[in-house]
Amino acid sequence: MSVNFSEADKQHMALAIELAKKGHYTTSPNPRVGCVIVKNHEIVGKGFHEKAGEPHAEVHALRAAGNKANGATAYVTLEPCSHYGRTPPCALGLINANVRRVVIAMVDPNPQVSGNGIKMLEDAGIEVSTGLLEDEALALNPGFIHLMKYGMPFVRCKLASSLDGKTAMASGESKWITGALAREDVQRLRAQSCAVITSAQSVITDNAKMNVRWDQLGELKNSYPKDNLRQPVRVVIDSKSRLTPELEFFSIPSKIIIIGTGLENNHTWPHFVEHITVKSVSGQIDLEDCLQQLAKRGLNDILLECGATLAGAFVEQNLVHELTLYQAPKLLGGDGKNLIETPSITKLSDAKQLSIDEMTMVGNDIKIVAKLTEK
Amino acid sequence: MSVNFSEADKQHMALAIELAKKGHYTTSPNPRVGCVIVKNHEIVGKGFHEKAGEPHAEVHALRAAGNKANGATAYVTLEPCSHYGRTPPCALGLINANVRRVVIAMVDPNPQVSGNGIKMLEDAGIEVSTGLLEDEALALNPGFIHLMKYGMPFVRCKLASSLDGKTAMASGESKWITGALAREDVQRLRAQSCAVITSAQSVITDNAKMNVRWDQLGELKNSYPKDNLRQPVRVVIDSKSRLTPELEFFSIPSKIIIIGTGLENNHTWPHFVEHITVKSVSGQIDLEDCLQQLAKRGLNDILLECGATLAGAFVEQNLVHELTLYQAPKLLGGDGKNLIETPSITKLSDAKQLSIDEMTMVGNDIKIVAKLTEK
């Protein structure tokens, strides 16, 4: 099915990818998908998926194309779906519109349905080719793809420190290590995530709310009206049942999941709070079970924002896939608080290895994005 | 004297700067200087200063130009000297060659002679203008300029750690945190420096030699023949007189300075070892006095390569001007050794501030160059 693609093919698929990115902050937990329809070298329709429950990218593009879809080529960043869900299968939509050719950037990552959409199209006599700008398409949906392939969410751990890897002075003083622009960048990370995980410790000690704050979104403010802001699900790990509904965390009325070990609590919680009980392993919460519970709820792209101990536990258990590290141009000295605690790592050969994907300045701070690599 | 320069002026000065860079690894402790001579839009001579004791850039360029220097324009990255040193004044050379115009990137940074060369040229009727590509010219010689302006050397501190700011495991295991290409880069930092400062601790514990190793210079090997390699002066701070001549450090026959507090020692030292006694302050060596001693010897561009404690002491006393930090893409965890110890910094407002100048990948490692900034 993989073929040599023309320059025009590449340009149209590149446009489809750009369209898909428009859903970056809104499609969760659905994938970001873009679609472009071309007839006689002319773009006759384009669309992207904006929000779960709303039409898929192909539907928008086909509507825009109307009769011109007849005999056209459709470029779509993800294999069109073949099942009846909240919307009819997109493959059927393309067949009914009588398109001649479909170019797909990546096949469906779910091994159980992968290829079904392509087969439906080919059975209808449509020419299908795949793999054009596949890497770019993969990068659109790390969470969705990870969940489909492995049944587990993609976890991005956000950390911030000085150049010498310290997050606070010995006294605990830490406001602010990084600058306002780096903190805005974190707001955007939250805004793109299905869920944010934090610890009861952070919620209690720092009175953290962990929500997306519209006025700190920077340029994104122009694209997302204040009253229409999607909040990530806020997940808090509370192994000792220390949370109480009076905390500021609960003052924002958006979905919260409290993950505990089943200890009783007699509080009355707001309606948007769900309690989940997971296994515990020698008094510690089973983090893999936590993530499985989130996966069951379709939460695929997770931002981990917590202190050195919990972040270290996730890292030690190889449950973190990507690190986003902000480094302020400061030296705090050896007495400061450590970035991450991983007590099980005692030999250099056991140190966690990463590969650097991105290195940029955000204001005066350094932003490093790195993948945790298997050894 | 500052004027609007033409595009041709800029191109010729840019060439002079490129020529100056050819002396990057050889001129110490002299400045890197380049010169281009242009007659009727044609480059008729060019040169750069290669090595202390050898001709200055202007001499090389005037020799190449010969009679064509008559009526020409000379572009030189640093104000021509006006004094009789090991060579006659370059200003006089330009006058005798009958050049018509001299364009200078930066004036002599030594306040006591700054402007003298220009005056000598102007008194001879030559048109002089200054300030063209001044920033680029300043960047050629941070050490030379710093010494001339402030009477103290420019100090660059090299550190290497994991992404979480650790230099070794708790056990001390640290070979190797960074990769081979980062270590090659450090060899080039040594090769460009007048002197390298380290501690007796490093020399004894790590058996460090601190010399430039030709086979680890990477691409520089092609430019610098093995037997003709300039070694930086190796300076070792030994407050407790613990060094002995049997250490590997002394097996390399190039200039060494041992800085101590005057404690007696009965060893017989090789001829290339000089002992300097400096003041001590409550049992600690006076680091400012150390640097003054090096300044007196003309050592202006210093690389500090030592452990967390000595590096921290230099930083605490505001004696470091630039940090070169290599970060390996690893997480070692909170039990690891800290990058830098600065016990006097206890409040966030006292944390040392930096500004990032450069951020690049060296192999799989991150290289950050940052200036320490005054508050």
Side-chain angles (χ1 to χ4, degrees):
Chain A
M1 287 190 300
S2 192
V3 296
N4 285 326
F5 296 101
S6 70
E7 266 314 303
D9 283 340
K10 285 180 199 164
Q11 282 172 22
H12 296 317
M13 187 61 85
L15 175 59
I17 299 231
E18 287 312 305
L19 288 166
K21 287 181 186 169
K22 292 193 177 192
H24 193 67
Y25 296 95
T26 54
T27 64
S28 166
N30 281 5
R32 296 121 188 169
V33 182
C35 178
V36 171
I37 298 177
V38 176
K39 174 83 170 283
N40 298 331
H41 311 294
E42 189 200 340
I43 294 169
V44 294
K46 46 189 189 176
F48 67 97
H49 182 50
E50 193 178 343
K51 217 169 170 177
E54 295 190 1
H56 288 185
E58 298 92 326
V59 174
H60 286 297
L62 286 171
R63 275 185 200 160
N67 288 339
K68 291 182 180 166
N70 190 340
T73 297
Y75 298 85
V76 55
T77 57
L78 179 67
E79 179 180 352
C81 61
S82 55
H83 61 278
Y84 285 83
R86 284 191 271 196
T87 54
C90 288
L92 192 60
L94 291 162
I95 293 166
N96 290 340
N98 209 23
V99 303
R100 188 186 62 77
R101 179 180 173 228
V102 175
V103 182
I104 295 166
M106 63 171 285
V107 298
D108 193 306
N110 182 343
Q112 304 197 310
V113 300
S114 180
N116 290 0
I118 293 170
K119 184 167 185 307
M120 190 184 271
L121 293 169
E122 287 184 330
D123 286 350
I126 294 175
E127 177 192 338
V128 179
S129 43
T130 61
L132 177 57
L133 302 190
E134 187 172 20
D135 287 345
E136 289 81 348
L138 287 164
L140 288 171
N141 299 301
F144 174 80
I145 294 167
H146 204 271
L147 183 65
M148 288 298 140
K149 280 176 95 161
Y150 307 114
M152 286 285 275
F154 178 84
V155 179
R156 180 182 285 115
C157 178
K158 171 247 145 184
L159 295 169
S161 73
S162 61
L163 275 183
D164 56 335
K166 299 296 177 178
T167 60
M169 307 305 292
S171 66
E173 188 194 356
S174 70
K175 290 209 168 177
W176 299 99
I177 302 280
T178 51
L181 291 177
R183 298 198 303 276
E184 275 189 12
D185 205 59
V186 173
Q187 288 289 320
R188 290 188 291 268
L189 282 185
R190 285 185 192 170
Q192 74 179 46
S193 301
C194 295
V196 176
I197 297 182
T198 191
S199 65
Q201 181 67 28
S202 298
V203 169
I204 295 168
T205 315
D206 308 337
N207 225 350
K209 294 200 286 288
M210 308 302 292
N211 62 323
V212 175
R213 292 184 278 278
W214 183 81
D215 56 351
Q216 291 175 27
L217 281 177
E219 57 189 26
L220 268 195
K221 279 191 288 195
N222 305 327
S223 320
Y224 298 93
K226 191 167 182 175
D227 0 329
N228 201 8
L229 195 62
R230 189 186 66 82
Q231 290 288 342
V233 175
R234 290 173 294 149
V235 179
V236 52
I237 294 181
D238 184 21
S239 54
K240 302 199 178 65
S241 220
R242 294 188 295 155
L243 293 175
T244 56
E246 294 76 30
L247 288 159
E248 276 205 53
F249 187 73
F250 300 98
S251 68
I252 311 283
S254 77
K255 172 86 181 180
I256 287 174
I257 295 176
I258 298 178
I259 299 187
T261 49
L263 290 178
E264 249 184 277
N265 78 68
N266 298 316
H267 305 295
T268 305
W269 299 94
H271 67 93
F272 50 83
V273 175
E274 179 186 4
H275 281 81
I276 299 181
T277 299
V278 301
K279 288 180 278 187
S280 65
V281 184
S282 43
Q284 298 298 306
I285 239 160
D286 182 328
L287 300 178
E288 196 166 344
D289 193 8
C290 283
L291 294 178
Q292 276 160 353
Q293 295 295 332
L294 301 183
K296 275 185 201 162
R297 285 156 182 80
L299 302 170
N300 57 58
D301 197 330
I302 308 280
L303 181 64
L304 183 61
E305 279 196 80
C306 55
T309 306
L310 184 57
F314 271 98
V315 166
E316 279 180 318
Q317 294 172 46
N318 296 318
L319 297 173
V320 173
H321 307 101
E322 193 174 283
L323 176 68
T324 298
L325 173 62
Y326 300 89
Q327 289 184 324
K330 292 181 169 73
L331 295 171
L332 267 54
D335 295 337
K337 304 272 191 197
N338 291 315
L339 184 65
I340 193 162
E341 299 292 351
T342 53
S344 72
I345 300 176
T346 57
K347 288 184 300 181
L348 199 48
S349 55
D350 294 334
K352 292 296 166 188
Q353 300 285 334
L354 301 95
S355 67
I356 309 294
D357 276 353
E358 192 188 316
M359 197 171 60
T360 47
M361 294 299 295
V362 179
N364 295 323
D365 300 317
I366 294 173
K367 178 185 181 182
I368 295 168
V369 178
K371 289 272 190 319
L372 275 284
T373 57
E374 303 284 327
K375 265 182 282 201
Chain B
M1 288 189 301
S2 194
V3 296
N4 285 327
F5 296 101
S6 70
E7 266 313 305
D9 283 341
K10 285 179 199 164
Q11 283 174 20
H12 296 317
M13 187 61 86
L15 175 59
I17 299 227
E18 287 311 305
L19 288 166
K21 287 181 186 169
K22 293 194 175 190
H24 193 69
Y25 295 96
T26 54
T27 64
S28 165
N30 281 5
R32 296 122 189 169
V33 183
C35 179
V36 170
I37 297 176
V38 175
K39 177 82 169 281
N40 298 331
H41 312 292
E42 189 200 342
I43 294 167
V44 295
K46 46 188 188 176
F48 67 97
H49 181 50
E50 192 179 342
K51 215 169 171 177
E54 295 190 1
H56 288 186
E58 298 91 325
V59 174
H60 286 297
L62 286 170
R63 275 185 198 158
N67 287 339
K68 292 181 180 166
N70 191 339
T73 297
Y75 298 86
V76 54
T77 57
L78 180 66
E79 179 180 351
C81 62
S82 57
H83 61 276
Y84 286 85
R86 284 191 270 196
T87 54
C90 289
L92 193 60
L94 291 163
I95 292 166
N96 289 341
N98 209 23
V99 303
R100 188 185 63 76
R101 179 181 173 227
V102 176
V103 182
I104 295 166
M106 64 171 285
V107 299
D108 194 304
N110 182 343
Q112 303 197 309
V113 301
S114 179
N116 290 0
I118 293 169
K119 185 168 185 306
M120 191 184 267
L121 294 168
E122 289 185 328
D123 286 350
I126 294 174
E127 177 192 339
V128 179
S129 43
T130 61
L132 177 58
L133 302 189
E134 187 172 18
D135 288 345
E136 289 81 349
L138 287 164
L140 288 171
N141 299 301
F144 174 81
I145 294 167
H146 205 272
L147 183 64
M148 289 296 141
K149 281 176 94 161
Y150 307 112
M152 287 285 274
F154 179 84
V155 179
R156 181 182 285 114
C157 178
K158 171 246 142 182
L159 294 170
S161 73
S162 60
L163 275 183
D164 56 335
K166 299 297 177 179
T167 61
M169 307 306 291
S171 66
E173 188 194 357
S174 70
K175 290 212 168 179
W176 300 98
I177 302 280
T178 51
L181 291 177
R183 299 199 301 276
E184 275 188 14
D185 204 59
V186 174
Q187 288 289 319
R188 290 188 291 269
L189 281 185
R190 286 185 191 170
Q192 75 180 43
S193 301
C194 294
V196 176
I197 297 182
T198 191
S199 65
Q201 182 66 29
S202 298
V203 170
I204 294 167
T205 315
D206 308 337
N207 225 350
K209 294 201 286 288
M210 308 302 292
N211 61 324
V212 175
R213 291 184 280 277
W214 183 81
D215 57 350
Q216 291 175 26
L217 281 177
E219 57 189 26
L220 267 194
K221 279 192 288 194
N222 304 327
S223 321
Y224 297 93
K226 190 167 183 173
D227 3 330
N228 200 8
L229 194 63
R230 188 187 66 81
Q231 290 288 342
V233 175
R234 290 173 294 149
V235 179
V236 53
I237 295 182
D238 184 22
S239 54
K240 303 200 177 63
S241 220
R242 293 189 295 155
L243 293 174
T244 57
E246 294 77 30
L247 287 160
E248 275 205 52
F249 188 74
F250 300 99
S251 68
I252 312 282
S254 78
K255 173 86 179 180
I256 287 172
I257 294 177
I258 298 178
I259 300 187
T261 50
L263 290 177
E264 249 185 278
N265 78 68
N266 298 315
H267 304 296
T268 304
W269 299 95
H271 66 93
F272 51 82
V273 176
E274 179 186 3
H275 281 82
I276 299 182
T277 300
V278 300
K279 289 180 279 186
S280 65
V281 183
S282 42
Q284 299 296 308
I285 239 160
D286 182 328
L287 299 178
E288 195 166 344
D289 193 9
C290 281
L291 293 178
Q292 276 161 352
Q293 295 294 333
L294 301 183
K296 276 186 199 161
R297 286 157 181 79
L299 302 170
N300 57 59
D301 197 330
I302 309 281
L303 182 65
L304 183 61
E305 279 195 80
C306 55
T309 307
L310 185 57
F314 270 97
V315 166
E316 279 180 318
Q317 294 173 46
N318 296 318
L319 297 172
V320 172
H321 307 100
E322 193 174 281
L323 176 67
T324 298
L325 173 62
Y326 300 89
Q327 289 183 325
K330 293 183 168 76
L331 295 172
L332 268 55
D335 295 337
K337 305 272 191 197
N338 290 316
L339 184 65
I340 193 162
E341 298 291 351
T342 53
S344 73
I345 300 176
T346 56
K347 287 183 299 183
L348 199 49
S349 56
D350 295 335
K352 292 297 168 188
Q353 300 285 335
L354 301 95
S355 67
I356 310 294
D357 277 351
E358 193 188 314
M359 199 171 58
T360 46
M361 294 298 295
V362 179
N364 294 324
D365 300 316
I366 293 173
K367 178 185 181 184
I368 295 168
V369 179
K371 290 273 190 318
L372 274 285
T373 56
E374 301 286 325
K375 268 181 282 198

